[in-house]
């Protein structure tokens, strides 16, 4: 039989969540244990449009209480996937109807949207929260977006060490707890999940005019964490891990920086090849791509979405 003409379970166009979990079984393995290359590539068996589908899955979004996390949650629901927002905030932001819009998108697509209060640095609570999400949401938990993070602008020479350590605790240790919780969850259930870690272009460059050494260092650590975890967990569990690195996106985080230093906007606009700063919604397409089978052969990579900012000096 032509290997590519077989129909492995997860490639059929179906709403059944069990069908969407990657499971390249032993029937497809060659005697040497290697997989036939075409057989293991979802794109060789599915229509291009279905590759981007999140139907039948649940995605956990940390930092899903406001800003970029909420925009991603809405986008995921609009793509037909259930979403569980996890954040330290007591309630999701709804000042301009953001949470209502997520619920509405979920209802329209027959999926669930839930909110869970949790500190990403608390490993025990993270494990409990993942289990709670599994019990209450519709669809297999197959995606995690590690979006929770904090920013602080302080000249390095005066940086208080407790402030520096707080940034590392949340942006680095918290991201690691999120990754570890996800990998354990997927390993125990035989799910080949996709983890998208929100890093930043600031993990690769020093932003002109910004005194954010702790933040920038933390995002560089997230880039390296992604590569290290990808090489550990890809071969062992089939888990994929990639970073998404945004440029300047207008959210409460950047509004706080602009409030402190209004002239920054002009500096940022000088690097804006597309003549605008980013909107949280600019990250929806790349996130869905990284979560879905459309990126099935990508792991340990970074997708930079910055309106061209870092491409010019
Ligand atoms: N806005 C930008 O321009 C920009 C650019 C590059 C990268 N990023 C990254 O994108 C992500 C989201 O940023 P944003 O602009 O939406 O910021 P934001 O401040 O609006 O959202 C961050 C969210 O993380 C949550 N959070 C913080 N600490 C937490 C903890 N310990 N446990 C659980 N949740 C916690 C906050 O409550 C908040 O809801 C961050 O990782 C940020 O570093 C943002």
């Amino acid at each position: 039989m032509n290997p590519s003409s077989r129909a492995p379970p997860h490639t059929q166009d179906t709403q059944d969540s069990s069908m969407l979990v990657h499971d390249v079984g032993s029937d497809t393995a060659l005697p040497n244990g290697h997989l036939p290359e075409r057989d293991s590539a979802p794109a060789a068996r599915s229509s291009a449009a279905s590759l981007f589908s999140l139907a039948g899955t649940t995605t956990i979004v940390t930092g899903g209480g406001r800003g970029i996390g909420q925009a991603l949650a809405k986008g995921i629901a609009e793509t037909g996937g259930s979403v569980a927002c996890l954040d330290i905030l007591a309630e999701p932001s709804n000042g301009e109807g953001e949470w209502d819009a997520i619920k509405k998108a979920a209802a329209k697509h027959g999926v669930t949207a839930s909110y869970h209060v949790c500190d990403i640095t608390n490993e025990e609570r993270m494990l409990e929260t993942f289990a709670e999400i599994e019990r209450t949401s519709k669809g297999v938990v197959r995606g995690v977006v590690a979006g929770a993070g904090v920013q602080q602008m302080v000249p390095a020479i005066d940086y208080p060490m407790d402030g520096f350590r707080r940034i590392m605790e949340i942006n680095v240790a918290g991201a690691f707890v999120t990754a570890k919780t996800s990998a354990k969850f997927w390993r125990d259930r035989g799910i080949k999940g996709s983890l998208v870690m929100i890093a930043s272009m600031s993990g690769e460059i020093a932003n002109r005019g910004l005194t954010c050494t702790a933040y920038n260092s933390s995002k560089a650590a997230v880039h390296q964490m992604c590569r290290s975890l990808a090489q550990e967990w890809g071969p062992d569990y089939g888990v994929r891990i990639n970073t998404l690195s945004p440029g300047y996106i207008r959210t409460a985080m950047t509004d706080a920086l602009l409030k402190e230093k209004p002239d920054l906007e002009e500096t940022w606009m000088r690097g804006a090849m597309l003549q605008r700063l980013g909107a949280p919604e600019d990250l929806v397409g790349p996130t869905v791509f990284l979560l879905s089978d459309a990126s099935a052969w990508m792991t340990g990579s970074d997708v930079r979405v910055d309106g061209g900012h870092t491409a010019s000096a």
Side-chain angles (χ1 to χ4, degrees), residues 63 65-69 86-89 118-121 147-150 170 198-201 215 219 246-249 251-254:
R66 71 178 196 192
I68 290 172
L86 184 160
D87 203 289
I88 204 166
L89 297 175
C118 181
D119 181 340
I120 57 160
T121 63
V150 287
I170 298 170
I198 308 290
S200 172
M201 67 172 178
Y215 178 83
K219 293 301 183 177
Y248 298 116
I249 309 277
T251 65
M253 186 180 270
T254 39

Side-chain angles (χ1 to χ4, degrees), residues 61-288:
V61 181
T62 79
R66 71 178 196 192
I68 290 172
Q70 278 196 321
L72 298 183
K74 180 163 168 276
I76 289 163
E78 284 169 350
T79 315
S82 290
V83 71
C85 296
L86 184 160
D87 203 289
I88 204 166
L89 297 175
E91 307 227 322
S93 174
N94 203 22
E96 291 173 21
E98 300 94 321
W99 179 240
D100 290 345
I102 296 169
K103 294 291 278 184
K104 203 169 150 195
K108 188 173 165 198
H109 290 88
V111 295
T112 52
S114 54
Y115 187 76
H116 309 262
V117 179
C118 181
D119 181 340
I120 57 160
T121 63
N122 182 333
E123 192 171 2
E124 205 181 322
R125 269 296 293 144
M126 284 289 278
L127 286 164
E128 285 167 9
T129 306
F130 270 52
E132 178 183 306
I133 291 167
E134 182 181 38
R135 278 196 308 276
T136 55
S137 73
K138 196 169 161 186
V140 177
V141 177
R142 210 193 80 166
V144 173
V145 177
V150 287
Q151 165 67 297
Q152 193 181 29
M153 185 161 60
V154 182
I157 201 128
D158 296 322
Y159 218 118
M161 286 317 295
D162 57 347
F164 191 94
R165 289 195 182 98
R166 177 177 159 267
I167 301 274
M168 293 298 160
E169 176 64 11
I170 298 170
N171 292 4
V172 183
F176 181 66
V177 169
T178 307
K180 193 176 158 196
T181 309
S182 308
K184 273 191 174 168
F185 181 92
W186 289 326
R187 178 201 61 189
D188 293 350
R189 290 156 183 79
I191 296 170
K192 297 185 176 180
S194 172
L195 170 66
V196 181
M197 307 184 85
I198 308 290
S200 172
M201 67 172 178
S202 307
E204 292 177 65
I205 50 110
N207 311 62
R208 244 174 234 162
L210 281 185
T211 52
C212 296
T213 295
Y215 178 83
N216 296 358
S217 306
S218 75
K219 293 301 183 177
V222 171
H223 283 146
Q224 182 54 18
M225 193 187 299
C226 162
R227 291 185 285 263
S228 301
L229 297 179
Q231 73 83 32
E232 272 196 55
W233 295 342
D236 288 352
Y237 314 122
V239 167
R240 297 192 298 113
I241 304 155
N242 295 286
T243 47
L244 178 66
S245 292
Y248 298 116
I249 309 277
R250 286 308 293 264
T251 65
M253 186 180 270
T254 39
D255 284 349
L257 297 176
L258 290 172
K259 203 171 157 202
E260 261 186 74
K261 237 177 145 185
D263 56 316
L264 274 177
E265 186 158 5
E266 204 193 317
T267 312
W268 293 354
M269 279 307 293
R270 264 188 254 129
M273 286 190 188
L274 298 174
Q275 293 297 295
R276 67 175 175 89
L277 300 182
E281 290 74 16
D282 285 316
L283 304 175
V284 170
T287 301
V288 170

